[in-house]
Amino acid sequence: ESIVLRLLNQQKKYELNDLFNKSQYLSVTQLLQKKAGLILFSGTTGSGKTTSLYSCLDYLKDQKIYSIEDPIEVIKEHVVQLQINKQVDFGFNEAIKQILRHDPNIIVIGEIRSLEEAQAALSCSLSGHLVISTIHASSCEITLKRLIDLGCEKELIYDAILAIIYQELQYEAKQDKRYAIYEILERKDIYPIKS
């Protein structure tokens, strides 16, 4: 038997300019101004994807934001957060129906782990909403392959994605400090990979 206990430091907040260098910060903030499309934070377990996603939500605090999470990892007062509960038949499809009635500016899918979650993220972004989500992958290109492996149609993926932001945590022994390295692959850079 094994158990995983995940403790998140909800007291520590990171601003976007704490996480990204100047050019990356400019790219990310421009992406967050878009009206529709999918922004995916990818990386391995423990790479800081959730931290980056919630930092984006703090940056967008004046927007109407709804999230679908399983589970809700960090409570955000300015976000309407819906918890998936399959025991009462409240899955991603039902959550999306409820959210779309409220005409949100931004929809958050906590993490893409299955075809249901991937399709939810793609369909919401193609219906004219900005969607932000996370996915486990070891590079930007592998992120695209993961979506295909989950069963998503290639054309929908390429039409929906605004950017993939891959991150990896590094450790600086001299300063006893961790920091993230980011790679940002925007839509214009994805098309050469498509073929």
Side-chain angles (χ1 to χ4, degrees), residues 87-98:
Q87 292 177 333
V88 294
D89 293 326
F90 189 72
F92 276 87
N93 291 332
E94 184 58 35
I96 286 170
K97 285 179 196 171
Q98 297 297 328

Side-chain angles (χ1 to χ4, degrees), residues 90-107:
F90 189 72
F92 276 87
N93 291 332
E94 184 58 35
I96 286 170
K97 285 179 196 171
Q98 297 297 328
I99 282 177
L100 291 178
R101 290 184 180 122
H102 294 270
D103 191 27
N105 299 120
I106 296 156
I107 297 172

